[in-house]
Amino acid sequence: MTTQMAAAKRGEITEAMRIVAQKENQSPEDICARVARGTVVIPANINHLTLSPEGVGQGLKTKINVNLGISKDCANINLELEKVQTAINMKAEAIMDLSNYGKTAEFRSRLINMSTAMIGTVPMYDAIGFLDKKLEDITVEEFLAVVEKHAQDGVDFMTIHAGLNRQTVAHFKKNKRVTNIVSRGGSLLFAWMELNDRENPFYEYFDDLLDICAKYDVTLSLGDGCRPGSLADATDPAQIEELIVLGELTLRAWEKNVQVMIEGPGHIPLNEIQANMLLEKKLCHNAPFYVLGPVVTDIAPGYDHITSAIGGAIAAASGADFLCYVTPAEHLRLPSLEDMKEGIIATKIAAHAADIAKGIPGAADWDLKMSKARQALDWSTMFELAIDREKAERYRRESSPTHEDSCTMCGEMCPMRLMNKIL
């Protein structure tokens, strides 16, 4: 089998490229050229037969990812599958299965078979439960076997923390942090390395990893094990050292025609976001950038969908291509269905706002239509255009105005109503 990148380098336009071009209102030739350069990825595992392909990267609409999955304390497969269907209905372009307990293979199989959205996983989360072994006893071969199992199942992109090598660890140890390593996958690998006094297996055996990805056309999402978990740790030596390593690994992946995304922070002050986006693009050769948030203040548990949407809008406007949603439950619990919905809406708003700022073709048309409907006091059209129609209609229903063409904020003093009459 060939990968999307291998086909693109030959100038061959695949069906996935045609679909992406149609969704983006761009030419298949332009999409093909960007895939060949690595500035756009189309995560599309050859075994994910229900997938509706999406492009992530340069000149394309900002995409969003929804995290879900089973944990030991919340192991309700049916609830997580309800979340999956809701995320698909809400048009999330990607879903990451972060399951780390129980029948992960069963859930992953059902997820992939029902999902038109691209699917991502972190095989490191699954390794301990899947192998039923202590972390320190897992072998390199077993780590790679778990990766191949996920690839065989049809996972489109995988987070692998290959940049957390011994050199990065040395920088981490020399430069003390407030929150140490907050990446779950990164902390597990750090522990394995320390307990076994060995190099990161995914770094040491990176070529073997690439062979698996190329076989199934899995996009490699190079994880940021040293992402900052607090504003105090943002843009520090460990984070930057890891980013340098990820840039080097990107070139190695491209040589084997494996598509690459780079994962980014994390918790970052507003004034450092633009610099972080620039660093990633420079150091990682303009590979698509996938960011968690970023969260712009540490003080708002219960409202981190807002803190991350603020950061996400700035990040995407400054060059990030893919936003991982954050819910109100971040730092507190596994998200409920309602938490997930709020996280999706907040992140979609951030992505759309950024697309307008980036000048993505057609992005501002949606807003213009809404503005025209507001001026015309065309409530049915406003609801059709609303990013969350259900909430908009509920708010309107809960507070009925005397004048049906206005709302209870202004009533007969509604400026739209007044100007329409006068003009």
Side-chain angles (χ1 to χ4, degrees):
M1 295 298 294
T2 189
T3 68
Q4 295 292 328
M5 177 170 257
K9 286 179 180 178
R10 297 193 300 267
E12 177 186 328
I13 296 173
T14 65
E15 181 62 19
M17 293 177 202
R18 294 186 194 280
I19 293 170
V20 169
Q22 186 176 26
K23 288 181 176 182
E24 301 284 344
N25 294 314
Q26 298 190 28
S27 75
E29 291 76 15
D30 284 346
I31 299 297
C32 181
R34 277 174 265 171
V35 171
R37 291 194 299 269
T39 59
V40 162
V41 297
I42 303 176
N45 187 311
I46 60 172
N47 290 338
H48 188 177
L49 304 180
T50 56
L51 176 70
S52 177
E54 295 283 354
V56 178
Q58 181 186 37
L60 307 185
K61 293 191 286 284
T62 305
K63 306 305 186 298
I64 77 160
N65 171 70
V66 171
N67 288 341
L68 42 77
I70 301 159
S71 69
K72 186 173 183 178
D73 291 318
C74 300
N76 187 331
I77 288 181
N78 290 331
L79 175 58
E80 293 307 299
L81 288 172
E82 185 182 355
K83 290 181 185 177
V84 170
Q85 191 58 59
T86 300
I88 294 168
N89 293 345
M90 294 180 74
K91 296 182 170 53
E93 290 88 5
I95 295 171
M96 283 201 82
D97 173 17
L98 305 186
S99 296
N100 55 46
Y101 176 77
K103 298 179 180 179
T104 57
E106 177 191 333
F107 177 74
R108 186 167 59 250
S109 176
R110 292 175 68 180
L111 165 64
I112 291 166
N113 288 336
M114 71 185 286
S115 180
T116 51
M118 53 183 159
I119 300 299
T121 59
V122 188
M124 190 69 196
Y125 292 178
D126 194 28
I128 297 172
F130 178 77
L131 297 166
D132 195 24
K133 296 177 72 170
K134 289 183 179 180
L135 175 64
E136 60 266 33
D137 294 333
I138 298 175
T139 66
V140 173
E141 293 75 19
E142 287 171 330
F143 277 131
L144 291 172
V146 174
V147 170
E148 180 137 26
K149 170 60 177 164
H150 283 226
Q152 287 173 342
D153 288 347
V155 170
D156 303 297
F157 65 98
M158 293 186 204
T159 294
I160 305 286
H161 299 88
L164 186 64
N165 61 10
R166 283 188 148 179
Q167 186 173 317
T168 305
V169 168
H171 281 271
F172 162 71
K173 288 180 176 179
K174 287 178 185 175
N175 299 273
K176 297 299 181 185
R177 286 179 146 194
V178 173
T179 50
N180 295 314
I181 294 177
V182 299
S183 159
R184 191 173 6 171
S187 66
L188 288 168
L189 273 171
F190 174 80
W192 187 92
M193 293 163 67
E194 293 289 296
L195 290 167
N196 290 286
D197 191 25
R198 290 189 59 180
E199 180 58 277
N200 179 338
F202 296 116
Y203 179 78
E204 186 174 1
Y205 294 89
F206 192 66
D207 285 331
D208 297 273
L209 175 66
L210 293 177
D211 289 341
I212 295 170
C213 291
K215 183 177 178 181
Y216 300 92
D217 199 4
V218 172
T219 297
L220 197 54
S221 190
L222 290 172
D224 50 337
C226 288
R227 71 172 179 264
S230 63
L231 298 191
D233 295 335
T235 327
D236 74 343
Q239 180 195 336
I240 303 306
E241 172 61 29
E242 184 180 32
L243 194 61
I244 292 169
V245 176
L246 297 184
E248 295 166 352
L249 295 177
T250 297
L251 294 179
R252 288 175 59 185
W254 287 348
E255 286 175 5
K256 290 201 171 189
N257 295 320
V258 172
Q259 300 183 96
V260 175
M261 296 187 289
I262 306 296
E263 295 188 13
H267 292 234
I268 313 180
L270 281 172
N271 59 307
E272 294 183 23
I273 293 176
Q274 191 171 13
N276 271 263
M277 303 306 111
L278 178 63
L279 278 170
E280 185 276 341
K281 293 293 182 178
K282 288 279 189 180
L283 296 176
C284 297
H285 320 288
N286 291 308
F289 202 16
Y290 172 29
V291 297
L292 177 64
V295 172
V296 295
T297 177
D298 299 333
I299 63 163
Y303 297 92
D304 277 322
H305 59 311
I306 297 173
T307 64
S308 72
I310 293 168
I314 296 170
S318 303
D321 307 286
F322 194 15
L323 301 180
C324 184
Y325 91 151
V326 173
T327 76
E330 187 77 8
H331 305 109
L332 299 171
R333 68 177 188 194
L334 191 78
S336 67
L337 183 60
E338 287 306 311
D339 293 331
M340 189 192 78
K341 289 179 181 178
E342 288 195 50
I344 290 173
I345 293 296
T347 310
K348 284 173 72 75
I349 291 169
H352 179 67
D355 287 348
I356 294 169
K358 285 191 284 193
I360 298 297
D365 293 349
W366 186 2
D367 299 73
L368 182 59
K369 290 176 183 175
M370 177 64 88
S371 295
K372 288 180 176 179
R374 281 185 173 142
Q375 182 60 58
L377 293 168
D378 181 352
W379 292 95
S380 62
T381 300
M382 283 187 253
F383 294 142
E384 286 174 14
L385 293 168
I387 198 166
D388 184 354
R389 176 172 185 158
E390 181 183 331
K391 187 172 185 178
E393 288 183 326
R394 175 166 56 83
Y395 273 36
R396 172 79 173 162
R397 202 166 49 242
E398 288 174 350
S399 187
S400 301
T402 304
H403 299 278
E404 283 300 317
D405 58 352
S406 63
C407 74
T408 54
M409 172 67 81
C410 299
E412 64 181 6
M413 295 175 64
C414 171
M416 302 295 193
R417 185 168 173 265
L418 178 62
M419 294 303 293
N420 289 342
K421 286 188 174 183
I422 297 299
L423 295 177

